[in-house]
RNA sequence: GUCGGCAUAGCUCAAUGGCGGAGCAAUCGGCUGUUAACCGAUAGGCUGCAGGUUCGAGUCCUGCUGCCGACGCCA
């Protein structure tokens, strides 16, 4: 008897008929008739189940009674061609070891479709569903592909701090990190909380972006990227926002905005192609799941194309690139604007609303769009100013249905211009001096961007809520599991 | 945070202001190999919580709580 466990994935590809195998996993369903029971087993290695066949007389009721949906089993048996049509091979069971039963009266997962809302309530068990298994395997593959892409292209993985003392980026509200007694913190003479007595001797927060530190890396190592958790204490309640999410932020010395766009497009296409090449089974499962789900929807609410076709479409087509100013022109002349169908008016100088971005991506161009050269007033202080005095070298990559997937820019490398913006925006020198010094000593043109990892996974998996593409979502009023 | 919607069996959902139901799951039985098996039966409920209107409230009204969707902030 082989002691080594073989995964369901390997088993299903095997043609070593007649050999004994040992497989372990969780029961998805059991179908039983008088003489024979069929146990569908899943071990997380693939979206497919293994069918193991158990002779009722051989095992007896006592054992088979414990084999219920959710139970964990070890099955030893002979790998044989399947008599049924659903699978090529199956395991004719000789021994069944029950590692853990799952009381069928209480186990919440059933062999049926559950709503995503219900599965969020049982976050500790939802990885056992096929849908979450598929999403989590794809998530893993995408994380691996991120590292592979950058490693193959000579980028260094830079670990930027998670606890930070700077509030410079202004990307959003921050979570305070402190060891002070929340009930009676030490106070200064003026009655403020005295963070000099805190653990780090100053006020600290969880990072909202690794970019500023990333720039330090790029201005020494050339090309770097970060890939880590990021925290925003915004009270955002949408299907696209998390309080804790993972962000990928490459930063490149000697890149201008064009280079930055080229990298962003190539990177996204590489990742999606990687999923198409390496996650075929999971993507096919998610695609058919989506088609099934959309049968209940009206024609106009259904996706314009199936998941795999949508992914191939993005890989095969060049992203549309245009200036913010051009985008505003298109929007002003658009049908919805003329008919007054936009909730928000389109005007040069204001940020584009979701409805405007969606119109450009989904109706006008019908493909990903990169918008560049935004008005400086609506963008961050560190972005390189254009000669027109009005715009900065910012870029947003917009994807269908999820909107902004990447935000980036060429950085301002001129010390005086950067200092000017810092002063205009009243950023305290004691929190930003080190950043400014990079422009004082051997400054260089450079650029970078941030890719929201979960937004990428949303797009690749076709899932609709960002809470369902991260194992343990953190959102306002929810830090369960 | 703003606006809107929803809350009924373990799950997904029905029920004109008038006796709370179905499918799935569970339990029991049947079935010669099934594919989210099939057939028969059984059991399962403080209709989210607190008030109010009414002869009568799951249904109408008020408040609270939770969830969902859209929007804002962004990635």
């Amino acid at each position: 008897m082989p002691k080594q466990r073989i995964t369901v994935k390997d088993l299903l590809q095997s043609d070593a008929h007649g050999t004994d195998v040992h497989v372990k996993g969780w029961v998805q369903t059991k179908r039983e008739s008088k003489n024979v029971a069929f146990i569908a087993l899943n071990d997380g290695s693939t979206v497919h189940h293994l069918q193991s066949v158990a002779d009722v007389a051989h095992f007896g009721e006592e054992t088979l009674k414990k084999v219920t949906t959710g139970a964990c089993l070890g099955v030893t048996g002979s790998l044989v061609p399947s008599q049924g049509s659903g699978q090529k091979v199956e395991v004719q069971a000789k021994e069944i070891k029950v590692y853990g039963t799952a009381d069928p009266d209480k186990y919440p997962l059933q062999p049926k479709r559950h709503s995503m809302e219900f599965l969020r309530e049982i976050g500790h068990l939802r990885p056992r569903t096929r849908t979450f298994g598929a999403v989590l395997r794809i998530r893993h593959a995408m994380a691996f592909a991120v590292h592979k892409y950058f490693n193959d292209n000579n980028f260094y993985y830079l670990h930027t701090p998670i606890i930070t003392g700077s509030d410079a980026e202004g990307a959003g509200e921050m979570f305070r990190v402190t060891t002070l007694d929340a009930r009676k913190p030490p106070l200064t003479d003026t009655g403020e909380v005295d963070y000099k007595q805190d653990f780090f001797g100053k006020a600290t927060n969880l990072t909202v972006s690794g970019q500023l530190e990333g720039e330090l890396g790029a201005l020494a190592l050339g090309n770097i990227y970060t890939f880590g958790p990021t925290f925003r204490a915004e009270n955002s309640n949408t299907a696209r926002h998390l309080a804790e999410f993972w962000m990928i932020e490459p930063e490149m010395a000697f890149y201008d905005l064009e280079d930055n766009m080229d990298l962003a497009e190539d990177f996204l296409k590489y990742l999606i192609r990687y999923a198409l090449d390496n996650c075929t089974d999971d993507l096919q499962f998610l695609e058919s799941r989506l088609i099934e789900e959309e049968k209940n929807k009206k024609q106009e609410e259904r996706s314009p194309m199936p998941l795999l076709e949508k992914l191939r479409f993005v890989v095969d087509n060049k992203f549309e690139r245009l200036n913010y100013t051009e985008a505003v022109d298109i929007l002003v002349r658009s049908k919805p604007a003329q008919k007054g169908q936009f909730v928000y008016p389109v005007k040069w100088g204001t940020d584009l609303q979701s409805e405007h971005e969606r119109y450009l991506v989904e109706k006008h161009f019908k493909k990903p769009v990169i918008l560049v050269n935004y008005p400086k007033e609506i963008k961050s202080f560190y972005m390189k100013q254009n000669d027109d005095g009005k715009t900065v070298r910012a870029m947003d990559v917009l994807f269908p249905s999820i909107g902004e997937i990447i935000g980036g820019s060429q950085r301002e490398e001129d010390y005086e211009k950067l200092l000017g913006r810092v002063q205009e925006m009243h950023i305290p020198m004691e929190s930003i001096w080190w950043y400014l010094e990079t422009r004082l000593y051997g400054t260089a043109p450079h650029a970078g961007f941030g890719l929201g990892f979960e937004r990428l996974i949303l797009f690749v998996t076709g899932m609709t809520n960002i809470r369902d593409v991260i194992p343990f979502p953190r959102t306002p009023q929810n830090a369960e599991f």
Side-chain angles (χ1 to χ4, degrees), chain A residues 177-286:
Chain A
V177 175
T178 180
T179 56
L180 294 177
D181 187 340
R183 282 169 304 179
K184 43 175 175 34
L187 300 179
T188 61
D189 296 343
T190 52
E192 314 273 305
V193 174
D194 185 10
Y195 286 106
K196 284 206 175 72
Q197 296 185 44
D198 203 350
F199 186 89
F200 294 106
K202 64 191 287 194
T204 51
N205 303 285
L206 294 176
T207 183
V208 292
S209 164
Q211 180 201 315
L212 300 190
E213 290 91 348
E215 286 184 47
L216 310 184
L219 292 172
L221 296 166
N223 296 341
I224 64 96
Y225 70 105
T226 75
F227 185 5
T230 312
F231 308 87
R232 306 266 167 100
E234 299 289 341
N235 189 15
S236 323
N237 267 295
T238 82
R240 306 187 309 280
H241 289 86
L242 290 165
E244 176 183 293
F245 65 100
W246 288 66
M247 188 153 62
I248 299 138
E249 296 180 285
E251 194 71 36
M252 299 73 63
F254 316 114
Y255 267 49
D256 64 14
L257 193 63
E258 285 293 316
D259 302 325
N260 206 21
M261 281 191 275
D262 290 345
L263 180 74
E265 183 167 345
D266 187 58
F267 180 46
L268 284 170
K269 285 178 172 173
Y270 174 89
L271 294 174
I272 293 166
R273 197 179 302 115
Y274 189 91
L276 284 167
D277 292 344
N278 294 277
C279 307
T280 318
D281 286 2
D282 286 325
L283 287 173
Q284 274 169 355
F285 171 79
L286 290 171

Side-chain angles (χ1 to χ4, degrees), chain A residues 304-305 310 313-314 318-322 327 330-331 342 352-371 374 396-405 459:
Chain A
M305 50 180 97
K310 181 184 82 171
F313 181 82
V314 168
K318 186 151 173 56
F319 295 2
E320 191 69 35
R321 299 180 182 188
L322 76 162
I330 289 170
L331 286 165
F342 285 138
L352 299 182
Q353 305 293 317
S354 290
E355 56 177 349
H356 305 144
E357 296 178 350
R358 289 186 76 124
Y359 174 82
L360 287 173
V361 173
E362 291 165 23
K363 293 275 174 351
H364 191 83
F365 291 112
K366 295 190 167 73
K367 56 175 164 172
V369 172
I370 310 183
L371 283 183
Y374 283 77
D396 282 0
V397 181
L398 309 176
F399 263 35
S401 73
I402 53 174
E404 186 179 341
I405 194 168
F459 184 75

Side-chain angles (χ1 to χ4, degrees), chain A residues 295-472:
Chain A
K295 277 183 181 168
N296 301 321
K297 289 189 182 171
K298 293 177 201 158
Q299 190 67 42
E300 63 266 25
E301 287 170 10
R302 294 183 191 171
S303 321
M305 50 180 97
L307 181 59
L308 286 159
E309 193 183 328
K310 181 184 82 171
L311 298 180
R312 282 191 210 104
F313 181 82
V314 168
V315 168
D316 292 341
N317 286 281
K318 186 151 173 56
F319 295 2
E320 191 69 35
R321 299 180 182 188
L322 76 162
N323 281 305
Y324 166 89
T325 305
E326 297 171 280
V328 169
D329 282 348
I330 289 170
L331 286 165
V332 166
R333 289 197 309 266
S334 71
K335 251 187 217 163
Q338 309 260 310
K339 289 188 182 170
Q341 286 165 346
F342 285 138
V343 177
Y344 296 88
V346 186
K347 202 176 78 195
W348 198 98
T350 58
D351 213 350
L352 299 182
Q353 305 293 317
S354 290
E355 56 177 349
H356 305 144
E357 296 178 350
R358 289 186 76 124
Y359 174 82
L360 287 173
V361 173
E362 291 165 23
K363 293 275 174 351
H364 191 83
F365 291 112
K366 295 190 167 73
K367 56 175 164 172
V369 172
I370 310 183
L371 283 183
V372 294
N373 297 321
Y374 283 77
K376 68 175 178 185
E377 285 77 17
I378 58 173
K379 289 293 180 184
S380 301
F381 76 96
Y382 50 71
M383 296 185 179
K384 184 173 173 66
Q385 298 166 42
N386 279 315
D387 293 339
D388 61 12
K390 293 190 294 188
T391 59
V392 290
R393 312 212 76 190
M395 66 170 204
D396 282 0
V397 181
L398 309 176
F399 263 35
S401 73
I402 53 174
E404 186 179 341
I405 194 168
I406 278 181
S409 66
Q410 186 174 341
R411 320 304 189 190
E412 181 57 73
E413 81 265 25
D414 182 277
Y415 179 80
E416 294 300 332
K417 283 185 183 167
L418 185 61
L419 182 64
R421 289 297 284 158
V422 164
Q423 287 167 341
E424 275 171 40
M425 301 185 72
H426 307 291
I427 299 168
M429 282 304 285
E430 62 264 31
S431 72
I432 200 72
W433 63 271
W434 48 272
Y435 182 72
L436 286 164
E437 280 202 359
T438 55
R439 275 64 167 174
L440 216 44
Y441 307 128
T443 192
H446 61 291
F449 61 81
L451 168 67
F453 187 55
E454 282 76 17
R455 289 193 180 170
L456 171 77
I457 307 299
L458 266 184
F459 184 75
V460 171
T461 59
M463 300 291 284
T464 49
N465 194 309
I466 202 161
R467 289 159 206 180
D468 302 325
V469 296
I470 186 168
F472 307 103

